Amino acid sequence: RLRSPPLRIADFQEVLGEPTVALAKLRDLCFSGIPFDGGLRCLCWKILLNYLPLEKALWSSLLKKQRDLYSQFLKEMIIQPGIAKANLGVSREDVTLEDHPLNPNPDSRWNTYFKDNEVLLQIDKDVRRLYPDMAFFQRPTDYPCLLILDPQNEFETLRKRVEQTTLKSQTVARNRSGVTNVSSPLKTTPSSLSEYEVLPNGCEAHWEVVERILFIYAKLNPGIAYVQGMNEIVGPLYYTFATDPNSEWKEHAEADTFFCFTNLMAEIRDNFIKSLDDSQCGITYKMEKVYSTLKEKDVELYLKLQEQNIKPQFFAFRWLTLLLSQEFLLPDVIRIWDSLFADDKRFDFLLLVCCAMLTLIRDQLLEGDFTLNMRLLQDYPISDVHLILKKAKELQDSK
């Protein structure tokens, strides 16, 4: 049984109060859910995602170093290209000698600029729709990026780039086949909301901060760049850090989210890389694993899904790739992630959560036909994540 909230908070404080955090103990506590109080979740996630080391004495210098590094990224990847663009518009000397927009050379800075814009438009489209049922991402942040919003700056910000870029037709091709239906039926946005108001100059909505994080990630990781769905992974991380009760942490939510997201992506990025789909680290292998685990735990249900030709990619692709972030409301996703991040075998527990989700609706699945069952799996009916996690833990213990 779980201890009462004050005792649980004390347990966390005790483990986090040691000069060196005992990781096994911390994982154990986090697995059962992290209290929101006192910024505990933020701190624990930063440790579990290998952003903060276990030695407490190193924390402040590491955070300062990483946050400075992130400012550097902003300068190099957003501010300088923006300034170069602003300056190029002014100097109209003989452009033929200079780099110019029609320069066919693949190393041309303009070529990179246009390619970046395609990625940016895809990110922009996806982040504007983050958690439409919550106002949070549309609200202004208390800590807009002053480097970028400085009114002295005449350079082109990401916001201006999006407004000015009309290469929309080319972005559609970037969608990964089959992932176009990434959001579940319940979560679609009414069309009136699809174009959000952009906040006045000097203010930034939280979704714009997320956009910047993803853009910088894409620039630094050209091998994978941006794939639709990454917005659903960065959303809960950023939300958790940007609502931290400790204002000192909250102020640096953008940089901290960026590094935690980068570390998390290092573990799950293979799910997003199409060419790895069928390799042992790819998503197909993991989807098959959900079914082989189900076969062990509940052969009758497994055979029923097989007989109806319900393949795991019809539903488990989204469950696994997006760490269930589209199946539940945000606070519940965050609770599931406490357990996922605390799992020392990393995402093995996720496979058990998926199996638990199947076995908890086994009666309906055994009675339903293909259409009915697909609807259940695409729009999962149980919203009590505690029940699901409890069931997954039972499956884990019954190995």
Side-chain angles (χ1 to χ4, degrees), residues 353-379:
V353 175
C354 294
C355 274
M357 287 168 69
L358 294 169
T359 55
L360 284 170
I361 55 169
R362 75 184 302 270
D363 297 349
Q364 289 154 279
L365 290 170
L366 290 172
E367 281 173 22
D369 60 6
F370 176 85
T371 315
L372 206 67
N373 286 347
M374 279 300 294
R375 196 172 306 148
L376 281 172
L377 295 168
Q378 291 267 329
D379 195 5

Side-chain angles (χ1 to χ4, degrees), residues 180-199:
T180 35
N181 178 25
V182 165
S183 63
S184 55
L186 268 184
K187 311 245 166 83
T188 45
T189 341
S191 53
S192 60
L193 281 178
S194 58
E195 281 307 312
Y196 290 112
E197 292 296 304
V198 172
L199 294 172

Side-chain angles (χ1 to χ4, degrees), residues 67-342:
R67 290 160 179 175
D68 289 348
L69 177 60
Y70 187 74
S71 294
Q72 204 44 47
F73 293 156
L74 291 175
K75 286 176 190 152
E76 286 171 21
M77 284 166 231
I78 295 176
I79 295 177
Q80 283 163 14
I83 290 172
K85 176 90 192 306
N87 294 346
L88 275 165
V90 183
S91 55
R92 300 295 306 143
E93 290 105 50
D94 186 2
V95 289
T96 48
L97 300 171
E98 283 291 311
D99 194 0
H100 59 88
L102 300 177
N103 185 341
N105 176 357
D107 300 331
S108 152
R109 276 182 323 188
W110 280 100
N111 199 34
T112 316
Y113 178 84
F114 289 135
K115 272 211 164 34
D116 287 350
N117 281 357
E118 288 178 38
V119 176
L120 179 59
L121 282 177
Q122 181 63 56
I123 294 173
D124 188 72
K125 204 167 86 204
D126 294 344
V127 292
R128 285 171 187 257
R129 293 193 298 239
L130 267 176
Y131 291 95
D133 48 347
M134 286 178 61
F136 172 79
F137 286 97
Q138 306 311 318
R139 288 205 182 111
T141 165
D142 295 338
Y143 303 100
C145 180
L146 301 176
L147 268 176
I148 286 176
L149 292 183
D150 179 355
Q152 298 303 305
N153 283 338
E154 281 303 303
F155 73 85
E156 187 189 44
T157 57
L158 289 186
R159 187 191 280 189
K160 284 188 196 153
R161 274 175 84 158
V162 170
E163 286 165 8
Q164 291 170 9
T165 306
T166 48
L167 296 168
K168 290 193 172 66
S169 55
Q170 295 177 352
T171 59
V172 180
R174 289 192 67 84
N175 273 7
R176 177 158 168 195
S177 58
V179 189
T180 35
N181 178 25
V182 165
S183 63
S184 55
L186 268 184
K187 311 245 166 83
T188 45
T189 341
S191 53
S192 60
L193 281 178
S194 58
E195 281 307 312
Y196 290 112
E197 292 296 304
V198 172
L199 294 172
N201 284 340
C203 295
E204 276 189 314
H206 287 292
W207 67 261
E208 291 188 87
V209 181
V210 175
E211 173 167 272
R212 203 159 45 231
I213 293 168
L214 286 166
F215 182 72
I216 289 184
Y217 179 80
K219 289 283 289 169
L220 288 170
N221 296 275
I224 180 171
Y226 172 75
V227 181
Q228 193 181 21
M230 287 181 185
N231 54 314
E232 306 293 351
I233 300 283
V234 83
L237 282 176
Y238 175 74
Y239 174 81
T240 300
F241 294 172
T243 54
D244 190 291
N246 172 344
S247 61
E248 192 190 336
W249 286 103
K250 196 164 152 177
E251 186 179 343
H252 297 286
E254 180 177 349
D256 293 348
T257 301
F258 171 80
F259 290 108
C260 287
F261 171 68
T262 300
N263 290 358
L264 178 55
M265 281 303 297
E267 298 186 42
I268 62 169
R269 60 180 282 167
D270 295 347
N271 296 345
F272 287 91
I273 299 175
K274 188 93 177 94
S275 59
L276 288 177
D277 278 1
D278 297 322
S279 74
Q280 214 165 7
C281 50
I283 188 72
T284 310
Y285 175 77
K286 293 183 186 120
M287 290 190 292
E288 303 291 333
K289 195 113 195 291
V290 171
Y291 266 22
S292 59
T293 312
L294 180 67
K295 189 178 179 180
E296 267 169 51
K297 307 287 182 190
D298 189 339
V299 71
E300 187 189 359
L301 179 56
Y302 166 78
L303 290 170
K304 172 76 178 184
L305 295 175
Q306 285 287 42
E307 174 202 322
Q308 290 190 346
N309 204 15
I310 292 180
K311 297 189 181 349
Q313 46 269 45
F314 297 161
F315 59 93
F317 180 87
R318 189 174 75 205
W319 291 7
L320 293 167
T321 307
L322 304 182
L323 307 181
L324 295 169
S325 61
Q326 284 278 291
E327 311 316 309
F328 303 99
L329 295 170
L330 186 58
D332 295 327
V333 171
I334 288 170
R335 168 62 195 91
I336 292 173
W337 285 17
D338 287 345
S339 295
L340 294 184
F341 296 166

